[in-house]
Amino acid sequence: MPASSPSAPSASSASSSSSSHGSDIDRDFGSGSGSGGSPAPEERDARPQYVLPLVVRVEKATPPGRTDALETSARAVLTLLSDPRVTEAGGEWAEQVVAWEDARIRKVVRRARGGEWRRAGELPGVTVRGQEAEVRVFPPIPLDGWPKDLAKLQVSGTDLEETAELGAPEPGLPVLWLNPELEMSAGKTMAQTGHAAQLAWWRLDDAQRKEWAESGFALAVRTAAPEAWEELVRSGLPVVQDAGFTEIAPGSCTVIAEHPALLPHPAPTTPVNAPR
């Protein structure tokens, strides 16, 4: 299973606005937060707002495959949520994550290469590696408090092609199903798969979380066939409903997280759409 690696010096800050690859969960449609339930929207919006930065490595000559990047982004979010610096009492990042989860759940994906990627790797965070993709996730930061080495990274144009043929997910593997009716950039979709993984994580008990972590957060991302999507929406599984600030309409259902532990009965194989 691909590896992850932590690192930790501090960084200076610079202001940054929301990006074209920013994304918010409308949490009232999904599940409550890990800290004890979802606050009322007006209460949530009145709180200090944080964002979870993710940076994907995109070298000109060797960009990662799209699905590998989507899966690695989801695993990066799970890796941060399970990090002892988040989960342990008094953990270095614990207060930041609680504050982030108690407001809007924002994630922003940027891209880096060469020296940009090396400098990003010197900031506090965790790098998660897929088959080709590398994604670094950072602890939540204030919406207007981006470290300067992240604030200057590009957000537009983060789109990727598949580099390998996609087959059906392995039986028993958690699957993040993409809405077949929506067109989103790779950067936007990476934020969405991160949301879906987080919603599934919130639904699991400690034993189920431990088992998933021990697998390296094994998962697959696939586009559901149109005839399967509506059934998935009605299934009671965690659904990401996007706030609609970028690329898609408010309230759009983007991803459904099908984790085996969340299924009431063994599920039939969900038809998979051909890759776009």
Side-chain angles (χ1 to χ4, degrees):
M1 172 56 63
S4 62
S5 61
S7 158
S10 66
S12 58
S13 306
S15 292
S16 174
S17 61
S18 274
S19 78
S20 62
H21 295 144
S23 183
D24 287 14
I25 302 176
D26 184 345
R27 297 188 316 158
D28 300 322
F29 193 79
S31 64
S33 78
S35 57
S38 182
E42 59 274 13
E43 181 184 354
R44 173 195 65 191
D45 293 344
R47 293 175 176 176
Q49 299 296 310
Y50 288 76
V51 60
L52 187 79
L54 297 108
V55 175
V56 57
R57 184 178 186 180
V58 183
E59 301 290 346
K60 281 187 175 180
T62 55
R66 180 183 175 97
T67 294
D68 188 34
L70 302 183
E71 293 172 348
T72 306
S73 177
R75 291 177 46 243
V77 171
L78 293 166
T79 300
L80 181 127
L81 292 174
S82 62
D83 192 287
R85 288 168 286 187
V86 173
T87 60
E88 292 182 357
E92 182 182 354
W93 300 338
E95 287 188 7
Q96 293 161 267
V97 170
V98 169
W100 170 62
E101 289 187 334
D102 283 347
R104 283 192 174 270
I105 306 296
R106 286 184 166 95
K107 298 180 180 72
V108 171
V109 177
R110 301 189 174 207
R111 70 179 190 273
R113 65 173 183 262
E116 297 171 333
W117 176 254
R118 288 191 295 274
R119 287 189 291 274
E122 294 171 357
L123 303 179
V126 183
T127 297
V128 176
R129 297 178 176 85
Q131 299 303 317
E132 304 168 325
E134 293 181 71
V135 175
R136 188 162 181 84
V137 60
F138 304 86
I141 57 175
L143 197 57
D144 60 354
W146 284 75
K148 63 181 181 181
D149 284 329
L150 300 184
K152 62 188 178 182
L153 296 178
Q154 294 295 314
V155 295
S156 61
T158 305
D159 220 338
L160 302 166
E161 303 294 332
E162 296 295 357
T163 58
E165 185 174 347
L166 299 178
E170 295 179 14
L173 195 66
V175 182
L176 308 180
W177 294 105
L178 305 179
N179 185 337
E181 303 300 322
L182 294 178
E183 294 286 346
M184 297 182 289
S185 67
K188 175 75 173 182
T189 313
M190 288 174 67
Q192 300 296 309
T193 59
H195 288 335
Q198 184 171 4
L199 291 178
W201 177 257
W202 284 343
R203 294 263 193 107
L204 300 176
D205 63 29
D206 288 346
Q208 293 161 344
R209 290 178 176 186
K210 184 174 185 290
E211 182 179 4
W212 202 7
E214 287 175 347
S215 77
F217 294 115
L219 56 83
V221 174
R222 296 291 187 273
T223 300
E227 63 271 19
W229 179 253
E230 289 304 321
E231 183 177 349
L232 284 166
V233 170
R234 294 190 300 267
S235 68
L237 292 167
V239 182
V240 178
Q241 187 175 20
D242 192 67
F245 292 135
T246 61
E247 296 194 25
I248 57 177
S252 297
C253 296
T254 59
V255 189
I256 294 174
E258 185 183 61
H259 190 290
L262 303 179
L263 295 169
H265 304 289
T269 301
T270 303
V272 181
N273 247 5
R276 292 188 179 126

